[in-house]
Amino acid sequence: GQQVQQSPSSLVLQEGENAELQCNFSSTATQLQWFYQSPGGSLVSLLSNPSGTKHTGRLTSTTVTKERRSSLHISSSQTTDSGTYLCAIDPGANTGKLTFGHGTILRVHP
Amino acid sequence: EAAVTQSPRNKVAVTGGKVTLSCNQTNNHNNMYWYRQDTGHGLRLIHYSYGAGSTEKGDIPDGYKASRPSQENFSLILELATPSQTSVYFCASGDPGSNERLFFGHGTKLSVL
């Protein structure tokens, strides 16, 4: 079965609203990263958060390792936040190999 | 910011032909990766490398070879391209095993006719 499941599969917001994206994984994760993929296709790592809570700009990620879940909160969304958000884990013992979820497609309307 | 450059950006190949996708990184990362991205499958790991001279099989290595001649360069080789290898290919560098971010190239769109 799929090791990394993301929800929702898509989300539509009005500019200024907050977004909550979820990532659940079926194996122990030694690493967890959130990525943003632009509509043009380029991929950018947003943050690495294998456990606990981490903030960067308008993004907050909370990972509860023993419950095998992570969330990404986007506050005060902007139209430029539109794109696909991917969660990835390293299910091995720090092998450096990431397994990706299928992503959440976010659309922010002005 | 680490730079990962892929070439070509687009490629059309014929079935049975040989295709080489190239990747260059300038941040002195030890680890490099090749992924493919397809609708319904997400990103899947093909091959990866821990340093010059090393190549390791990822989750879907069949039909692909990899070469890491130097710290900066990592190539993906399709000796006999098939239409099922039509996809978008991403190269990445970094060391997520040490809690570091992974940096991706812009992708190569490959069509095998």
Side-chain angles (χ1 to χ4, degrees), chain B residues 73-86:
Chain B
N73 295 295
F74 190 37
S75 297
L76 186 68
I77 303 150
L78 291 67
E79 295 277 4
L80 294 169
T82 69
S84 65
Q85 293 175 314
T86 293

Side-chain angles (χ1 to χ4, degrees), chain A residues 42-53:
Chain A
S42 60
L43 279 152
V44 176
S45 175
L46 296 171
L47 42 72
S48 175
N49 187 28
S51 65
T53 298

Side-chain angles (χ1 to χ4, degrees), chain B residues 17 19 23 28 34 47 53 57-58 72 74 88 90 93 105 108 110:
Chain B
V19 177
C23 180
N28 202 33
W34 276 106
H47 283 289
K57 293 181 180 179
E72 297 79 18
F74 190 37
V88 180
F90 287 96
S93 75
T108 295
L110 173 66

